[in-house]
Amino acid sequence: MNEIHVLMTLAGIHFLALMSPGPDFALVVQNSTRYGRQTGILIAFGLSIGILTHSILSLTGVSYLVHLHPQLFFVVQLLGGSYLAYLGISGLKSLLMRAKGAPVSTPKSKDFTLKSKKQAFTRGFTTNLLNPKALVFFISLMSTLVPQSMSLEGKFAALFILWSLAFFWFALLAWALSTQRLQSALARYSSYIDLVCCILFTILGCTIIGEAVLHTLT
C-alpha cells in the first residue's frame, strides 16, 4: 500500500471516528448551543490540538510506552475519568441550582460555565487530551496505518490530516448549531441539552474510573 492510499485510509477511519458520539461531540453540542459560534469554534480548535498532540505522542511512541506500563496508564485513566466526571457533576449541580432559582456561582460551588475565549480553548484541549480512550485509539490507528518506514513528508501529512479533519468537523458542527434559526429553535431546549451532555460526561467519567480500578484488582 503506497503512502497516498495509507493517508486516504487514515483520513476515512479518523473521520468516521470523529462523527461517533463521545465527550468531544457532546462538548461542542453543549457549548455551541449555549454560548454561540465563537465559543464552539474555539472549543473545536482546542479539541483538534488535543488530537494533534495524541497523534504526535502516538507517532513518536510516547503513548505506547504509557499504555505499556499499567501504573502510568492507570494514572491517565484516573485523571481523564475524574475530569470528565467533574465536568458532568459540576454541570448537574449548576443545572439543579438554576432550576431552584439560586445563583449558579456560590462560594461553595464552582461554576462549570465558560467565561473566556481561553477557557473555551482549554476545555476543548483538556477534554480530548485527558481522554484515555483517545490515547488507545490513536495508538491503534498510528501503529496500524502509519509504518515506521513512511517518509517524513508522509508522517507530517498524516498529522496534518488528523488535525485538519478534526478542526473541520467540530468547527462545522459548532457553526451549524449556532446559526440564528437553529439557535432560536434550540433555545427552549438548552437546559435539556445541558442535562443530557452532563449525564453523558458523568457516565463516561465514572465508567473510565471503574474500568481502571477493576483492571488493577484483577
Side-chain angles (χ1 to χ4, degrees):
M1 188 183 296
N2 61 42
E3 290 190 358
I4 293 178
H5 289 158
V6 169
L7 294 174
M8 290 177 64
T9 304
L10 184 73
I13 294 174
H14 180 51
F15 196 64
L16 288 174
L18 288 171
M19 290 189 291
S20 62
D24 295 351
F25 187 91
L27 193 71
V28 174
V29 171
Q30 180 187 36
N31 291 284
S32 297
T33 53
R34 176 167 289 280
Y35 301 109
R37 182 169 301 168
Q38 189 177 46
T39 296
I41 290 176
L42 284 168
I43 286 175
F45 185 57
L47 290 169
S48 70
I49 296 298
I51 285 172
L52 178 62
T53 304
H54 270 301
S55 303
I56 293 172
L57 292 176
S58 297
L59 194 62
T60 56
V62 175
S63 293
Y64 179 72
L65 291 175
V66 172
H67 189 246
L68 200 62
H69 291 80
Q71 295 86 352
L72 286 177
F73 190 58
F74 177 72
V75 172
V76 171
Q77 287 179 299
L78 282 186
L79 287 174
S82 298
Y83 182 73
L84 290 175
Y86 164 76
L87 287 181
I89 293 170
S90 297
L92 290 172
K93 286 182 178 178
S94 295
L95 287 170
L96 182 61
M97 293 175 67
R98 192 180 300 129
K100 291 180 177 179
V104 175
S105 297
T106 67
K108 294 184 179 180
S109 66
K110 294 183 178 180
D111 190 1
F112 84 117
T113 58
L114 297 171
K115 300 181 179 67
S116 68
K117 296 177 182 179
K118 181 180 178 181
Q119 193 177 21
F121 168 83
T122 302
R123 184 162 297 179
F125 176 72
T126 308
T127 299
N128 184 269
L129 189 65
L130 291 182
N131 186 355
K133 294 186 181 298
L135 182 143
V136 174
F137 171 76
F138 283 103
I139 290 174
S140 302
L141 188 68
M142 301 300 272
S143 63
T144 303
L145 292 178
V146 181
Q148 292 185 348
S149 58
M150 178 179 274
S151 67
L152 189 60
E153 293 81 2
K155 290 178 180 178
F156 274 114
L159 292 174
F160 177 76
I161 287 170
L162 293 170
W163 169 79
S164 59
L165 279 178
F167 181 61
F168 167 77
W169 167 247
F170 289 126
L172 179 65
L173 183 64
W175 178 85
L177 290 170
S178 58
T179 58
Q180 187 173 0
R181 179 178 297 180
L182 195 55
Q183 281 277 293
S184 300
L186 291 174
R188 69 187 72 150
Y189 302 111
S190 61
S191 294
Y192 298 104
I193 293 171
D194 278 346
L195 178 62
V196 171
C197 292
C198 289
I199 290 173
L200 177 62
F201 288 137
T202 304
I203 291 173
L204 286 173
C206 292
T207 300
I208 290 170
I209 293 171
E211 289 175 352
V213 173
L214 285 175
H215 185 70
T216 58
L217 295 176
T218 56

